[in-house]
Structure formats: structure tokens, C-alpha cells
Amino acid sequence: MTLNNPSLRPWRDIDRRTSRQIMVGDVPVGGDAPITVQTMTNTLTSDAKATIDQIRRCEEAGVDIIRVSCPDVESTTALKQIVRASNVPIVADIHFHYKRGIEAAEAGAACLRINPGNIGSSARVREVIDAAKSNGCAIRIGVNAGSLEKDLLEKYGEPCPEALVESALDHIKILQDHDFHEFKVAVKASDVFLAVAAYSQLADAVDCPLHLGITEAGGLIGGTVKSSIGMGNLLWAGIGDTIRVSLSAEPEEEVRVGYEMLKALGLRTRGVRVVSCPSCARQGFDVIRTVQTLEERLQHIRTPLSLSVLGCVVNGPGEARETDIGITGGGKGKHMVYLSGVTDHHVEDTDMVDHIVKLVEAKAAEIEAEAELVEAAE
């Protein structure tokens, strides 16, 4: 119940686009590698302690790759300490100042996020590429509808899918002309229709890994909805090798939303997948508050497993049969607990949340132990 079975449920299969694989530090991106979840710090990179503290919170949320801004020499100076302290690869965000790109590569960044068109002359681009090559650093080409080149805006009249793709292809050519191939590409827009169309066209035109994002998506709720519609559409179509959910919210929230998106599509299986009802007058307990509390208290669980929290017996037993652990609301403050889809015991209202947390922790430990035995046997 923790894994999809393609042979039983072919309608769940997603045929991922075939892309070549690159390495971002020790994390593979593209090919048959898992789709990675990224975010970006919002602290001053020059404040190494604050940035490292934020990276720690993102690591706890499960981030695979994290990006930091490097707008000045103070930031690239601090980057060396940040890279040493981070447990995940660091991407340095570079705009305009080619020397910052060189400094970031030498400081240990695993990847440079650049727009080759705004780095400057061909000679400067060459210096940045040489620094990336010398330091085993990948590059992400970041095309954005909000900062398209003037000649493309004049050609097309406005940001459109064709303009974003042409910009990406122009930048790809610059790297390829310098014999650099360890790159991934993003064609982001805040308009969902524009972003989806651009990524769809680019996916057909290139074989490099694609970094998905709906840029400037908005706040936690609105941005989550927009990102889920846009990136969910692309991911369902098999497009995308690494994602960043751009929210006006703390970076760790971006990570959680990213994982929930991938979990919903069966593309990643980290942590507890909660199935819960919206609640109604039939509920035997306060479903909304119970789910909120459980989600907070179960954030530390990384083992993939499923939990159903249903307020009454209408759909509760059916959902519980499909999850590792289930709780269904009953009368007089007594609720039914299901283990591996089978009715097991009752729990009192006052003990319910603590009881479920212990059951989930125990199930996670059991799954981990079984996995270790299998690994040892191999």
C-alpha cells in the first residue's frame, strides 16, 4: 500500500520524457534519476550563519538542491563557508557580473544559474564556462518571460512560447559552441498557459534536463494552486527533471509543496501521504484540526507510507483499506483504527492524535527495518 503497482494500475503510469543526465554536485538530474526538489534562500548570502540556518530547515523538509543569490563579492566570499556546511548541492544565482560566476565556481558551487546573454561579451562568457569546467560545476540556463531580450520582444511583440524557446536555444548554442554540455534549462513565466506551452515546445526541441517552475506564482495558497496546475500538467505529461515551487513564503514551504506535488503523481514517495476528508456534520471528531496537527507532528517522517483520516463511516473504511494506517470517526468519542487496511482496534477521542503519531512512527521503523534486511540480503 506504500507503492504503486504499474501492472495493476496502468492508468497511473507516467511516461517520462527521455533526457540526458547531468550531475549537480553528487545529485543526478535527468535521465532516470528521481525528479529533484529545489528551493532558494532569502537570507543575505553574505550572512553565512543565517543562510546556513535556513538551509538546515530546508534540508529537514527534504530539499535536494538549494540556490543562493550571489549579487556581490561579499556573497561569493561567504559561499565557501556555506558550501562546506551544506549537506545538499548549492546553486549560485548569477546575474550580470561575470566575475561573481567565476568566484562562485571557485568557492565550490555545484551549479551556476546564469543567463549567458546578460553576462557580457563572448570572452566573459568563456571565462565563466572555463571556471565551471575547471571546478566540475554545472550550469542552469534561466530564461524568464519577465526579462526576455529586447530583440526577441521586438520580433514577437510580447513574451510568448516561441520567444522563450528561441531565447533558450540561443543560450544553449552559446554553451555548446564553447563545448560545454553539463547544463539544464528553465523557461519560466508567471502565466501558467505561457509556461506550459513554452516547456512543452522546448521538451520536443532539446534533450537536456528541464528545470520546471511557474515564476512569481504568488503566496502560499495562490502560488501553490498556480504551480500545481502548471507544473502538475507538465509532470503528468512526463516533462521535468527538477522543480522549484516559487512562493512568497518561507523556502521550506516551497519544498513541502514540491514534494506533495510529486507525491500526488506518484513521482516521489517521501514521508506520509495523508488522505483526509473535508469534514461535514457527520464527523465523529474535528477532522480539520486533527489533520493540521498530524501534518505538523509527522514532518520528521521520511519513510513513504500512507495515512487516512476520515470523519465518519461513509468513506472511511474504503479509504482505510488502501492505506497503511487509517482512522475513521465513530460515535461517543470512540474511533476505529485500521492497520494495513484491516480493522484493528478502537481509540478514544482524547488519545487519538498521540496514538496515531506512535503508530506512524512504528510503521515507519518497520518499513525501514524491512528495507535494510532486503538490502543486506542483496
Side-chain angles (χ1 to χ4, degrees), residues 37-42 54-63 66 218-225 227-228 231 243-262 270 292 295-296 299:
V37 176
Q38 303 193 31
T39 188
M40 186 173 183
T41 57
N42 56 31
Q54 193 168 73
I55 289 172
R56 286 285 176 271
R57 294 194 293 275
C58 294
E59 289 172 346
E60 289 172 7
V63 75
I66 196 157
L220 183 57
I221 294 177
T224 294
V225 171
S227 296
S228 298
M231 285 195 281
I243 68 172
R244 189 253 173 126
V245 182
S246 299
L247 303 175
S248 299
E250 293 304 320
E252 52 266 42
E253 294 298 336
E254 294 187 348
V255 177
R256 294 185 185 110
V257 172
Y259 268 102
E260 289 300 322
M261 197 182 299
L262 295 176
R270 182 189 191 276
Q292 287 175 342
E295 286 182 336
E296 290 172 4
Q299 285 182 11

Side-chain angles (χ1 to χ4, degrees), residues 165-349:
V165 171
E166 184 170 334
S167 177
L169 294 177
D170 288 345
H171 294 150
I172 287 171
K173 187 176 185 304
I174 293 172
L175 297 185
Q176 290 177 332
D177 286 348
H178 288 86
D179 195 30
F180 189 89
H181 307 282
E182 293 298 300
F183 61 84
K184 50 196 171 89
V185 183
V187 281
K188 295 186 178 183
S190 59
D191 181 288
V192 171
F193 297 95
L194 175 54
V196 170
Y199 275 111
S200 299
Q201 289 183 25
L202 186 63
D204 291 334
V206 298
D207 70 346
C208 62
L210 297 184
H211 171 114
L212 298 191
I214 306 298
T215 193
E216 293 111 26
L220 183 57
I221 294 177
T224 294
V225 171
K226 282 182 68 175
S227 296
S228 298
I229 291 170
M231 285 195 281
N233 189 310
L234 291 163
L235 291 166
W236 201 330
I239 297 170
D241 303 286
T242 184
I243 68 172
R244 189 253 173 126
V245 182
S246 299
L247 303 175
S248 299
E250 293 304 320
E252 52 266 42
E253 294 298 336
E254 294 187 348
V255 177
R256 294 185 185 110
V257 172
Y259 268 102
E260 289 300 322
M261 197 182 299
L262 295 176
K263 282 159 63 177
L265 291 168
L267 293 167
R268 288 289 294 267
T269 53
R270 182 189 191 276
V272 182
R273 177 176 62 87
V274 178
V275 177
S276 61
C277 67
S279 83
C280 69
R282 294 191 304 269
Q283 65 181 357
F285 59 87
D286 188 339
V287 173
I288 294 173
R289 249 57 63 182
T290 298
V291 170
Q292 287 175 342
T293 302
L294 285 170
E295 286 182 336
E296 290 172 4
R297 292 187 57 181
L298 295 174
Q299 285 182 11
H300 66 292
I301 302 293
R302 300 185 180 186
T303 307
L305 59 89
S306 52
L307 167 68
S308 57
V309 183
L310 280 292
C312 76
V313 297
V314 174
N315 294 318
E319 293 291 355
R321 280 195 294 271
E322 300 296 323
T323 54
D324 293 297
I325 298 167
I327 182 82
T328 296
K332 299 180 180 178
K334 277 191 151 184
H335 315 300
M336 177 58 71
V337 176
Y338 301 75
L339 301 179
S340 299
V342 179
T343 55
D344 193 85
H345 60 275
H346 287 89
V347 64
E348 297 284 346
D349 209 40

Side-chain angles (χ1 to χ4, degrees), residues 151-169:
D151 62 321
L152 290 176
L153 287 175
E154 290 174 2
K155 178 179 178 179
Y156 291 99
E158 64 176 1
C160 63
E162 292 75 17
L164 267 68
V165 171
E166 184 170 334
S167 177
L169 294 177

